[in-house]
Amino acid sequence: MDKSKRKMSPSTAWLLLVVAGLLEIVWASGFKYEQVPQIVVLIALIASFNLLISTAQVLPIGTVYAVFAGFGTIGTVVVDVAMGEQEISLLKIAIIVFLLVCIVGLKLTGTDSKTGNERKGSGV
């Protein structure tokens, strides 16, 4: 069997989507903080978009992009707070939790209840 034509499983796609989101935090933070070497920013940028493209072949594109952007948003806020660039408030924490709930909701609604397979073509 030709490996290049083997399809990625939805579980693997979700795992790679999480990795893409984590890499997004690295490259987005690298645009702001000098502590992140530019070569790391470039590698993280290329790798995260490659993973994003790969997962979009398996999962609904709207869900993929929303999860990717959500991870980046939450992660960069956490990095800014950790670096002392932003203060955290209860409202900000509530919004981040709401965003996490929405991401989990997208994951839960992205599965066909009849077949158990990821829905294709549906999105946010």
Short mmCIF file of all heavy atoms in Angstrom, two decimals, residues 24-88:
data_model
loop_
_atom_site.label_atom_id
_atom_site.label_comp_id
_atom_site.label_asym_id
_atom_site.label_seq_id
_atom_site.Cartn_x
_atom_site.Cartn_y
_atom_site.Cartn_z
N GLU A 24 1.72 27.42 17.14
CA GLU A 24 1.26 28.78 16.85
C GLU A 24 1.61 29.72 18.00
O GLU A 24 2.00 30.88 17.78
CB GLU A 24 -0.25 28.80 16.60
CG GLU A 24 -0.76 30.19 16.27
CD GLU A 24 -2.27 30.30 16.29
OE1 GLU A 24 -2.94 29.43 16.86
OE2 GLU A 24 -2.77 31.30 15.75
N ILE A 25 1.49 29.23 19.21
CA ILE A 25 1.84 30.05 20.38
C ILE A 25 3.33 30.42 20.32
O ILE A 25 3.69 31.57 20.59
CB ILE A 25 1.52 29.28 21.68
CG1 ILE A 25 0.02 29.03 21.78
CG2 ILE A 25 2.02 30.06 22.89
CD1 ILE A 25 -0.36 28.02 22.84
N VAL A 26 4.16 29.46 19.90
CA VAL A 26 5.60 29.71 19.82
C VAL A 26 5.90 30.79 18.79
O VAL A 26 6.59 31.78 19.07
CB VAL A 26 6.37 28.41 19.47
CG1 VAL A 26 7.83 28.70 19.18
CG2 VAL A 26 6.22 27.39 20.59
N TRP A 27 5.36 30.63 17.57
CA TRP A 27 5.73 31.62 16.54
C TRP A 27 5.08 32.98 16.78
O TRP A 27 5.70 34.01 16.55
CB TRP A 27 5.51 31.11 15.12
CG TRP A 27 4.13 30.77 14.64
CD1 TRP A 27 3.61 29.52 14.47
CD2 TRP A 27 3.10 31.67 14.21
NE1 TRP A 27 2.33 29.61 13.97
CE2 TRP A 27 2.00 30.91 13.79
CE3 TRP A 27 3.01 33.06 14.11
CZ2 TRP A 27 0.82 31.48 13.32
CZ3 TRP A 27 1.83 33.63 13.64
CH2 TRP A 27 0.75 32.83 13.24
N ALA A 28 3.85 32.98 17.29
CA ALA A 28 3.20 34.27 17.56
C ALA A 28 3.93 35.01 18.68
O ALA A 28 4.13 36.22 18.60
CB ALA A 28 1.74 34.06 17.90
N SER A 29 4.34 34.29 19.70
CA SER A 29 5.09 34.91 20.80
C SER A 29 6.46 35.36 20.33
O SER A 29 6.98 36.37 20.79
CB SER A 29 5.22 33.93 21.97
OG SER A 29 3.95 33.60 22.48
N GLY A 30 7.04 34.60 19.40
CA GLY A 30 8.35 34.97 18.87
C GLY A 30 8.34 36.27 18.10
O GLY A 30 9.37 36.95 17.99
N PHE A 31 7.18 36.66 17.58
CA PHE A 31 7.09 37.96 16.91
C PHE A 31 7.29 39.10 17.91
O PHE A 31 7.70 40.19 17.54
CB PHE A 31 5.74 38.13 16.22
CG PHE A 31 5.56 37.28 14.99
CD1 PHE A 31 4.30 36.92 14.58
CD2 PHE A 31 6.64 36.86 14.24
CE1 PHE A 31 4.11 36.15 13.45
CE2 PHE A 31 6.47 36.09 13.10
CZ PHE A 31 5.20 35.73 12.71
N LYS A 32 6.98 38.85 19.16
CA LYS A 32 7.04 39.90 20.18
C LYS A 32 8.28 39.81 21.08
O LYS A 32 8.85 40.82 21.43
CB LYS A 32 5.78 39.84 21.04
CG LYS A 32 5.70 40.94 22.07
CD LYS A 32 4.36 40.94 22.76
CE LYS A 32 4.28 42.09 23.76
NZ LYS A 32 2.97 42.17 24.39
N TYR A 33 8.66 38.60 21.44
CA TYR A 33 9.72 38.44 22.44
C TYR A 33 11.02 38.01 21.79
O TYR A 33 11.07 37.03 21.04
CB TYR A 33 9.27 37.40 23.49
CG TYR A 33 8.03 37.84 24.23
CD1 TYR A 33 6.81 37.25 23.97
CD2 TYR A 33 8.09 38.87 25.16
CE1 TYR A 33 5.66 37.66 24.63
CE2 TYR A 33 6.95 39.30 25.81
CZ TYR A 33 5.74 38.70 25.55
OH TYR A 33 4.61 39.12 26.19
N GLU A 34 12.08 38.73 22.13
CA GLU A 34 13.40 38.45 21.58
C GLU A 34 14.00 37.15 22.10
O GLU A 34 14.94 36.61 21.51
CB GLU A 34 14.36 39.60 21.91
CG GLU A 34 13.99 40.90 21.25
CD GLU A 34 14.89 42.04 21.68
OE1 GLU A 34 15.78 41.83 22.54
OE2 GLU A 34 14.70 43.15 21.18
N GLN A 35 13.45 36.63 23.20
CA GLN A 35 13.98 35.40 23.78
C GLN A 35 13.77 34.20 22.86
O GLN A 35 14.43 33.18 23.01
CB GLN A 35 13.33 35.11 25.13
CG GLN A 35 13.65 36.12 26.20
CD GLN A 35 12.64 37.27 26.25
OE1 GLN A 35 11.97 37.58 25.29
NE2 GLN A 35 12.55 37.90 27.42
N VAL A 36 12.83 34.32 21.95
CA VAL A 36 12.56 33.22 21.01
C VAL A 36 13.40 33.47 19.76
O VAL A 36 13.18 34.46 19.05
CB VAL A 36 11.06 33.15 20.64
CG1 VAL A 36 10.81 31.98 19.70
CG2 VAL A 36 10.19 33.06 21.88
N PRO A 37 14.38 32.61 19.49
CA PRO A 37 15.22 32.80 18.30
C PRO A 37 14.40 32.78 17.01
O PRO A 37 13.42 32.03 16.89
CB PRO A 37 16.19 31.60 18.35
CG PRO A 37 16.13 31.10 19.76
CD PRO A 37 14.77 31.44 20.28
N GLN A 38 14.80 33.59 16.07
CA GLN A 38 14.05 33.73 14.81
C GLN A 38 13.96 32.41 14.03
O GLN A 38 12.96 32.15 13.38
CB GLN A 38 14.67 34.82 13.94
CG GLN A 38 14.54 36.20 14.58
CD GLN A 38 13.08 36.58 14.86
OE1 GLN A 38 12.25 36.55 13.99
NE2 GLN A 38 12.80 36.89 16.12
N ILE A 39 14.99 31.58 14.12
CA ILE A 39 14.93 30.29 13.42
C ILE A 39 13.85 29.41 14.03
O ILE A 39 13.16 28.67 13.32
CB ILE A 39 16.32 29.58 13.40
CG1 ILE A 39 16.27 28.35 12.49
CG2 ILE A 39 16.76 29.19 14.78
CD1 ILE A 39 16.18 28.66 11.03
N VAL A 40 13.67 29.50 15.34
CA VAL A 40 12.61 28.74 16.01
C VAL A 40 11.25 29.26 15.56
O VAL A 40 10.33 28.49 15.30
CB VAL A 40 12.76 28.82 17.55
CG1 VAL A 40 11.56 28.20 18.25
CG2 VAL A 40 14.05 28.14 17.98
N VAL A 41 11.13 30.57 15.43
CA VAL A 41 9.87 31.17 14.96
C VAL A 41 9.55 30.66 13.55
O VAL A 41 8.42 30.25 13.27
CB VAL A 41 9.97 32.72 14.97
CG1 VAL A 41 8.76 33.33 14.28
CG2 VAL A 41 10.11 33.23 16.39
N LEU A 42 10.55 30.67 12.69
CA LEU A 42 10.34 30.24 11.30
C LEU A 42 9.95 28.76 11.23
O LEU A 42 8.99 28.39 10.53
CB LEU A 42 11.60 30.50 10.48
CG LEU A 42 11.50 30.15 9.00
CD1 LEU A 42 10.44 31.01 8.31
CD2 LEU A 42 12.85 30.33 8.33
N ILE A 43 10.66 27.92 11.97
CA ILE A 43 10.35 26.48 11.96
C ILE A 43 8.96 26.23 12.54
O ILE A 43 8.18 25.45 11.98
CB ILE A 43 11.44 25.69 12.72
CG1 ILE A 43 12.75 25.73 11.93
CG2 ILE A 43 11.00 24.25 12.96
CD1 ILE A 43 13.96 25.21 12.69
N ALA A 44 8.63 26.90 13.64
CA ALA A 44 7.31 26.73 14.25
C ALA A 44 6.20 27.20 13.31
O ALA A 44 5.14 26.57 13.20
CB ALA A 44 7.23 27.48 15.57
N LEU A 45 6.45 28.29 12.61
CA LEU A 45 5.46 28.83 11.65
C LEU A 45 5.19 27.85 10.52
O LEU A 45 4.04 27.52 10.22
CB LEU A 45 5.98 30.16 11.11
CG LEU A 45 5.08 30.95 10.17
CD1 LEU A 45 3.86 31.45 10.90
CD2 LEU A 45 5.85 32.13 9.59
N ILE A 46 6.25 27.34 9.93
CA ILE A 46 6.10 26.39 8.81
C ILE A 46 5.45 25.09 9.30
O ILE A 46 4.52 24.58 8.66
CB ILE A 46 7.47 26.13 8.14
CG1 ILE A 46 7.95 27.39 7.43
CG2 ILE A 46 7.39 24.95 7.17
CD1 ILE A 46 9.40 27.33 6.97
N ALA A 47 5.92 24.58 10.42
CA ALA A 47 5.38 23.31 10.93
C ALA A 47 3.91 23.46 11.32
O ALA A 47 3.10 22.58 11.02
CB ALA A 47 6.20 22.84 12.14
N SER A 48 3.56 24.57 11.97
CA SER A 48 2.16 24.71 12.40
C SER A 48 1.22 24.81 11.20
O SER A 48 0.13 24.21 11.22
CB SER A 48 1.99 25.91 13.34
OG SER A 48 2.08 27.12 12.65
N PHE A 49 1.62 25.53 10.17
CA PHE A 49 0.74 25.63 9.00
C PHE A 49 0.68 24.32 8.22
O PHE A 49 -0.37 23.96 7.68
CB PHE A 49 1.13 26.80 8.11
CG PHE A 49 0.54 28.10 8.60
CD1 PHE A 49 1.30 28.99 9.32
CD2 PHE A 49 -0.79 28.40 8.39
CE1 PHE A 49 0.76 30.17 9.82
CE2 PHE A 49 -1.35 29.57 8.88
CZ PHE A 49 -0.58 30.46 9.59
N ASN A 50 1.79 23.58 8.18
CA ASN A 50 1.74 22.26 7.54
C ASN A 50 0.78 21.34 8.29
O ASN A 50 0.01 20.60 7.66
CB ASN A 50 3.13 21.63 7.48
CG ASN A 50 3.92 22.10 6.28
OD1 ASN A 50 3.35 22.46 5.26
ND2 ASN A 50 5.22 22.10 6.42
N LEU A 51 0.84 21.36 9.62
CA LEU A 51 -0.08 20.53 10.40
C LEU A 51 -1.52 21.00 10.23
O LEU A 51 -2.45 20.19 10.15
CB LEU A 51 0.32 20.55 11.87
CG LEU A 51 1.64 19.85 12.21
CD1 LEU A 51 2.01 20.09 13.67
CD2 LEU A 51 1.55 18.37 11.91
N LEU A 52 -1.71 22.31 10.18
CA LEU A 52 -3.06 22.87 9.97
C LEU A 52 -3.65 22.38 8.64
O LEU A 52 -4.80 21.93 8.57
CB LEU A 52 -3.00 24.39 10.01
CG LEU A 52 -4.31 25.13 9.85
CD1 LEU A 52 -5.20 24.91 11.07
CD2 LEU A 52 -4.06 26.63 9.66
N ILE A 53 -2.84 22.43 7.60
CA ILE A 53 -3.28 21.98 6.28
C ILE A 53 -3.59 20.48 6.30
O ILE A 53 -4.61 20.04 5.77
CB ILE A 53 -2.22 22.32 5.21
CG1 ILE A 53 -2.14 23.83 5.04
CG2 ILE A 53 -2.53 21.62 3.90
CD1 ILE A 53 -0.92 24.30 4.25
N SER A 54 -2.73 19.70 6.95
CA SER A 54 -2.94 18.25 7.01
C SER A 54 -4.22 17.89 7.76
O SER A 54 -4.97 17.01 7.33
CB SER A 54 -1.76 17.57 7.70
OG SER A 54 -0.59 17.75 6.96
N THR A 55 -4.46 18.56 8.86
CA THR A 55 -5.66 18.24 9.64
C THR A 55 -6.93 18.70 8.94
O THR A 55 -7.98 18.09 9.11
CB THR A 55 -5.59 18.85 11.06
OG1 THR A 55 -5.42 20.26 10.96
CG2 THR A 55 -4.45 18.26 11.85
N ALA A 56 -6.82 19.76 8.14
CA ALA A 56 -8.00 20.24 7.40
C ALA A 56 -8.43 19.24 6.33
O ALA A 56 -9.56 19.31 5.85
CB ALA A 56 -7.70 21.60 6.78
N GLN A 57 -7.54 18.32 5.97
CA GLN A 57 -7.91 17.28 5.01
C GLN A 57 -8.83 16.24 5.64
O GLN A 57 -9.53 15.51 4.94
CB GLN A 57 -6.65 16.56 4.49
CG GLN A 57 -5.62 17.46 3.87
CD GLN A 57 -6.12 18.13 2.59
OE1 GLN A 57 -6.72 17.48 1.76
NE2 GLN A 57 -5.89 19.43 2.48
N VAL A 58 -8.84 16.17 6.97
CA VAL A 58 -9.59 15.13 7.68
C VAL A 58 -10.77 15.72 8.45
O VAL A 58 -11.85 15.14 8.46
CB VAL A 58 -8.66 14.37 8.66
CG1 VAL A 58 -9.41 13.33 9.45
CG2 VAL A 58 -7.50 13.74 7.90
N LEU A 59 -10.56 16.86 9.10
CA LEU A 59 -11.59 17.46 9.95
C LEU A 59 -12.25 18.63 9.22
O LEU A 59 -11.67 19.19 8.29
CB LEU A 59 -10.94 17.95 11.25
CG LEU A 59 -10.20 16.89 12.07
CD1 LEU A 59 -9.45 17.55 13.22
CD2 LEU A 59 -11.17 15.84 12.57
N PRO A 60 -13.44 19.04 9.67
CA PRO A 60 -14.10 20.20 9.05
C PRO A 60 -13.22 21.46 9.17
O PRO A 60 -12.70 21.75 10.26
CB PRO A 60 -15.39 20.36 9.86
CG PRO A 60 -15.61 19.04 10.50
CD PRO A 60 -14.26 18.43 10.71
N ILE A 61 -13.06 22.19 8.10
CA ILE A 61 -12.15 23.33 8.06
C ILE A 61 -12.55 24.42 9.06
O ILE A 61 -11.69 25.04 9.68
CB ILE A 61 -12.01 23.90 6.63
CG1 ILE A 61 -10.95 25.01 6.57
CG2 ILE A 61 -13.32 24.43 6.12
CD1 ILE A 61 -9.55 24.52 6.84
N GLY A 62 -13.83 24.64 9.23
CA GLY A 62 -14.28 25.66 10.19
C GLY A 62 -13.87 25.31 11.60
O GLY A 62 -13.41 26.16 12.37
N THR A 63 -14.02 24.05 11.93
CA THR A 63 -13.62 23.59 13.27
C THR A 63 -12.11 23.66 13.42
O THR A 63 -11.60 24.11 14.45
CB THR A 63 -14.10 22.14 13.49
OG1 THR A 63 -15.52 22.11 13.33
CG2 THR A 63 -13.73 21.63 14.86
N VAL A 64 -11.39 23.23 12.41
CA VAL A 64 -9.92 23.24 12.46
C VAL A 64 -9.42 24.66 12.70
O VAL A 64 -8.59 24.90 13.58
CB VAL A 64 -9.33 22.66 11.15
CG1 VAL A 64 -7.84 22.96 11.03
CG2 VAL A 64 -9.57 21.17 11.07
N TYR A 65 -9.93 25.60 11.93
CA TYR A 65 -9.42 26.96 12.07
C TYR A 65 -9.82 27.57 13.42
O TYR A 65 -9.02 28.27 14.05
CB TYR A 65 -9.89 27.85 10.92
CG TYR A 65 -9.20 29.18 10.99
CD1 TYR A 65 -7.84 29.29 10.72
CD2 TYR A 65 -9.88 30.32 11.41
CE1 TYR A 65 -7.17 30.48 10.84
CE2 TYR A 65 -9.22 31.52 11.53
CZ TYR A 65 -7.87 31.60 11.24
OH TYR A 65 -7.22 32.79 11.39
N ALA A 66 -11.04 27.31 13.86
CA ALA A 66 -11.49 27.85 15.15
C ALA A 66 -10.64 27.31 16.30
O ALA A 66 -10.24 28.05 17.20
CB ALA A 66 -12.96 27.53 15.37
N VAL A 67 -10.35 26.03 16.27
CA VAL A 67 -9.52 25.42 17.33
C VAL A 67 -8.10 25.97 17.26
O VAL A 67 -7.51 26.34 18.29
CB VAL A 67 -9.53 23.88 17.21
CG1 VAL A 67 -8.51 23.25 18.13
CG2 VAL A 67 -10.93 23.35 17.50
N PHE A 68 -7.55 26.05 16.07
CA PHE A 68 -6.20 26.59 15.87
C PHE A 68 -6.11 28.02 16.41
O PHE A 68 -5.21 28.36 17.19
CB PHE A 68 -5.86 26.53 14.38
CG PHE A 68 -4.52 27.06 14.02
CD1 PHE A 68 -3.37 26.31 14.27
CD2 PHE A 68 -4.39 28.29 13.38
CE1 PHE A 68 -2.12 26.79 13.90
CE2 PHE A 68 -3.15 28.78 13.02
CZ PHE A 68 -2.01 28.03 13.27
N ALA A 69 -7.04 28.86 16.00
CA ALA A 69 -7.03 30.26 16.45
C ALA A 69 -7.30 30.36 17.95
O ALA A 69 -6.71 31.20 18.64
CB ALA A 69 -8.07 31.06 15.66
N GLY A 70 -8.17 29.49 18.46
CA GLY A 70 -8.45 29.50 19.90
C GLY A 70 -7.23 29.16 20.72
O GLY A 70 -6.92 29.82 21.72
N PHE A 71 -6.51 28.12 20.29
CA PHE A 71 -5.28 27.74 20.99
C PHE A 71 -4.28 28.90 20.96
O PHE A 71 -3.66 29.22 21.98
CB PHE A 71 -4.63 26.51 20.34
CG PHE A 71 -4.97 25.24 21.02
CD1 PHE A 71 -6.05 24.49 20.59
CD2 PHE A 71 -4.23 24.77 22.08
CE1 PHE A 71 -6.38 23.31 21.21
CE2 PHE A 71 -4.55 23.59 22.71
CZ PHE A 71 -5.63 22.86 22.27
N GLY A 72 -4.13 29.51 19.82
CA GLY A 72 -3.20 30.63 19.70
C GLY A 72 -3.59 31.80 20.58
O GLY A 72 -2.74 32.41 21.24
N THR A 73 -4.87 32.11 20.60
CA THR A 73 -5.35 33.22 21.41
C THR A 73 -5.11 32.96 22.89
O THR A 73 -4.54 33.80 23.60
CB THR A 73 -6.84 33.46 21.16
OG1 THR A 73 -7.03 33.71 19.76
CG2 THR A 73 -7.37 34.61 21.97
N ILE A 74 -5.53 31.81 23.34
CA ILE A 74 -5.37 31.47 24.76
C ILE A 74 -3.88 31.41 25.12
O ILE A 74 -3.45 31.96 26.13
CB ILE A 74 -6.07 30.13 25.09
CG1 ILE A 74 -7.58 30.29 24.94
CG2 ILE A 74 -5.69 29.65 26.49
CD1 ILE A 74 -8.34 28.99 24.97
N GLY A 75 -3.11 30.76 24.29
CA GLY A 75 -1.69 30.59 24.57
C GLY A 75 -0.93 31.90 24.61
O GLY A 75 -0.08 32.11 25.49
N THR A 76 -1.22 32.79 23.68
CA THR A 76 -0.49 34.06 23.67
C THR A 76 -0.90 34.94 24.85
O THR A 76 -0.07 35.69 25.37
CB THR A 76 -0.68 34.82 22.34
OG1 THR A 76 -2.07 34.94 22.05
CG2 THR A 76 0.03 34.10 21.21
N VAL A 77 -2.14 34.85 25.27
CA VAL A 77 -2.55 35.58 26.49
C VAL A 77 -1.79 35.04 27.69
O VAL A 77 -1.27 35.81 28.51
CB VAL A 77 -4.08 35.49 26.71
CG1 VAL A 77 -4.46 35.98 28.10
CG2 VAL A 77 -4.83 36.29 25.65
N VAL A 78 -1.70 33.72 27.79
CA VAL A 78 -0.97 33.10 28.91
C VAL A 78 0.50 33.52 28.88
O VAL A 78 1.09 33.85 29.92
CB VAL A 78 -1.13 31.56 28.88
CG1 VAL A 78 -0.18 30.89 29.86
CG2 VAL A 78 -2.57 31.18 29.16
N VAL A 79 1.10 33.52 27.69
CA VAL A 79 2.50 33.93 27.57
C VAL A 79 2.67 35.39 27.99
O VAL A 79 3.60 35.74 28.73
CB VAL A 79 3.02 33.70 26.13
CG1 VAL A 79 4.38 34.38 25.92
CG2 VAL A 79 3.13 32.21 25.84
N ASP A 80 1.78 36.26 27.53
CA ASP A 80 1.85 37.68 27.91
C ASP A 80 1.72 37.86 29.41
O ASP A 80 2.43 38.68 30.00
CB ASP A 80 0.77 38.49 27.19
CG ASP A 80 1.25 39.06 25.87
OD1 ASP A 80 2.46 38.93 25.56
OD2 ASP A 80 0.43 39.66 25.16
N VAL A 81 0.84 37.12 30.03
CA VAL A 81 0.68 37.20 31.49
C VAL A 81 1.95 36.68 32.16
O VAL A 81 2.47 37.31 33.10
CB VAL A 81 -0.57 36.42 31.96
CG1 VAL A 81 -0.59 36.28 33.47
CG2 VAL A 81 -1.84 37.11 31.46
N ALA A 82 2.48 35.57 31.69
CA ALA A 82 3.69 35.00 32.28
C ALA A 82 4.90 35.92 32.12
O ALA A 82 5.76 35.97 32.99
CB ALA A 82 3.98 33.64 31.66
N MET A 83 4.95 36.65 31.02
CA MET A 83 6.07 37.56 30.77
C MET A 83 5.86 38.92 31.44
O MET A 83 6.71 39.81 31.32
CB MET A 83 6.27 37.76 29.27
CG MET A 83 6.62 36.48 28.52
SD MET A 83 8.19 35.76 29.01
CE MET A 83 9.33 36.78 28.13
N GLY A 84 4.72 39.11 32.09
CA GLY A 84 4.46 40.36 32.79
C GLY A 84 3.98 41.49 31.90
O GLY A 84 3.96 42.64 32.30
N GLU A 85 3.57 41.15 30.67
CA GLU A 85 3.10 42.17 29.73
C GLU A 85 1.62 42.50 29.92
O GLU A 85 1.16 43.54 29.45
CB GLU A 85 3.32 41.69 28.29
CG GLU A 85 4.77 41.56 27.93
CD GLU A 85 5.44 42.91 27.70
OE1 GLU A 85 4.77 43.85 27.25
OE2 GLU A 85 6.63 43.01 28.01
N GLN A 86 0.88 41.59 30.52
CA GLN A 86 -0.56 41.78 30.74
C GLN A 86 -0.90 41.36 32.15
O GLN A 86 -0.27 40.46 32.69
CB GLN A 86 -1.38 40.88 29.79
CG GLN A 86 -1.66 41.43 28.45
CD GLN A 86 -2.69 40.58 27.72
OE1 GLN A 86 -3.71 40.21 28.28
NE2 GLN A 86 -2.41 40.28 26.47
N GLU A 87 -1.90 42.00 32.66
CA GLU A 87 -2.44 41.54 33.94
C GLU A 87 -3.66 40.69 33.65
O GLU A 87 -4.35 40.89 32.65
CB GLU A 87 -2.80 42.73 34.80
CG GLU A 87 -1.57 43.51 35.24
CD GLU A 87 -1.90 44.54 36.30
OE1 GLU A 87 -2.97 44.43 36.94
OE2 GLU A 87 -1.08 45.43 36.49
N ILE A 88 -3.88 39.76 34.52
CA ILE A 88 -5.03 38.88 34.34
C ILE A 88 -6.16 39.35 35.26
O ILE A 88 -5.92 39.78 36.37
CB ILE A 88 -4.64 37.40 34.61
CG1 ILE A 88 -5.70 36.45 34.09
CG2 ILE A 88 -4.35 37.16 36.05
CD1 ILE A 88 -5.61 36.18 32.64
#
